Amino acid sequence: MLEKDRILYEDNHLIVINKRGGELVQADETGDRTLIDDVKEYLKVTYNKKGNVYLGVPHRLDRPTSGIVVYAKTDKALTRLNEMFRGSGVKKVYWAIVDKKPNKEKGELVHYIVRNSKNNISVAYPTEKKDSKIARLSYSLICSSDRYHLLEINLHTGRHHQIRAQLKAIGIHIKGDLKYGAERSNPDGGISLHARKISFLHPVKREEITIVAPPPKDALWSFFLNKVEENKEKEESNN
């Protein structure tokens, strides 16, 4: 049964979940149980629903990534969310724990991504290639530990494995991401990439909503979260 503290937002039209690294957003060829199965079970039990429970999937999150996943509870909401996620109506912010600092503390990355569907991997190139799609993101270095660094990333396009591929292209690797060049895996098999915040116009109520997902509760994420909160308190006290 889905834990209630993982539900970040819910009304008659939407339910937003804090996904764990390693969970599937929806079914794939592995046949493993999915987050959508757990959410449907929660809705069925909580609201005493009979028969099949409707739940639409307007976007995806890579299996090893944690953080915000939005599901639609009505067909009307799904149709409008699909349009927003395909266009520029959704603002997404990610946190990534990485092994190296970028050359500049703030910047924008622009690449051309080619997806290899057979190997389920994407490569980011500095110039346009055959079958490539342009990929843009902006980043800022938030804070560092002795060995790792926390980046905040704003996605401006939504390409396959975009953050992972673009960071690799500049010699930076997300902790635990063996597929894109990390030295070792994380204990839980996930990667240290977290869908931290999302903002969009509610598909039915037509009001702006912003949702923030707490990061995983392991020691390194907790360290960085505490650092962020300490820095925020210092800034507020100085103003």
Side-chain angles (χ1 to χ4, degrees):
M1 186 72 173
L2 183 74
E3 300 89 338
K4 288 192 175 182
D5 64 353
R6 296 178 62 201
I7 301 171
L8 303 172
Y9 179 93
E10 184 183 5
D11 62 17
N12 291 334
H13 309 282
L14 308 175
I15 183 166
V16 183
I17 307 299
N18 194 0
K19 173 187 169 310
R20 292 179 179 139
E23 286 182 314
L24 281 169
V25 170
Q26 64 178 140
D28 68 0
E29 67 279 358
T30 65
D32 293 344
R33 185 171 177 85
T34 68
L35 183 55
I36 200 171
D37 294 327
D38 292 338
V39 177
K40 283 184 174 182
E41 181 186 28
Y42 159 79
L43 295 173
K44 192 178 186 72
V45 172
T46 302
Y47 301 106
N48 195 28
K49 290 182 175 288
K50 308 299 181 184
N52 293 329
V53 175
Y54 178 86
L55 203 61
V57 186
H59 73 126
R60 311 291 188 273
L61 203 60
D62 295 343
R63 183 169 189 169
T65 304
S66 61
I68 296 169
V69 176
V70 180
Y71 290 109
K73 293 166 70 174
T74 64
D75 184 62
K76 181 179 182 180
L78 178 62
T79 299
R80 292 179 177 174
L81 283 170
N82 281 338
E83 292 174 359
M84 286 189 279
F85 275 99
R86 278 197 298 266
S88 57
V90 181
K91 296 177 182 177
K92 304 174 191 173
V93 177
Y94 286 75
W95 278 3
I97 298 176
V98 299
D99 59 354
K100 297 181 182 71
K101 287 183 180 181
N103 292 332
K104 298 178 180 178
E105 290 195 359
K106 291 185 178 182
E108 183 179 49
L109 301 182
V110 179
H111 291 94
Y112 293 86
I113 282 185
V114 177
R115 178 177 180 178
N116 184 328
S117 297
K118 182 179 180 181
N119 296 326
N120 192 33
I121 198 166
S122 288
V123 180
Y125 296 96
T127 56
E128 193 170 1
K129 302 290 182 181
K130 182 183 177 182
D131 299 324
S132 66
K133 293 182 178 180
I134 194 165
R136 290 189 178 93
L137 63 79
S138 55
Y139 70 86
S140 59
L141 175 66
I142 302 178
C143 53
S144 299
S145 69
D146 292 340
R147 292 181 58 196
Y148 296 103
H149 314 279
L150 180 64
L151 300 182
E152 183 167 278
I153 297 164
N154 288 268
L155 273 184
H156 305 308
T157 54
R159 308 305 181 200
H160 177 258
H161 292 183
Q162 179 179 335
I163 296 173
R164 302 163 70 182
Q166 285 196 270
L167 289 179
K168 181 182 179 182
I170 62 169
I172 294 174
H173 313 98
I174 296 169
K175 184 177 179 293
D177 196 0
L178 297 179
K179 180 174 279 192
Y180 286 89
E183 291 184 356
R184 60 180 65 86
S185 62
N186 285 345
D188 63 359
I191 65 175
S192 298
L193 179 63
H194 181 69
R196 171 65 171 170
K197 185 165 71 172
I198 194 167
S199 300
F200 57 93
L201 197 66
H202 191 286
V204 179
K205 298 177 182 178
R206 313 307 286 178
E207 59 188 28
E208 188 78 16
I209 60 174
T210 297
I211 298 163
V212 177
K217 295 179 180 178
D218 66 55
L220 189 56
W221 275 117
S222 296
F223 168 84
F224 279 120
L225 184 60
N226 288 336
K227 289 272 285 185
V228 169
E229 291 174 348
E230 287 172 7
N231 291 342
K232 185 178 178 180
E233 288 176 3
K234 288 178 184 177
E235 287 178 8
E236 290 174 351
S237 64
N238 292 332
N239 291 336

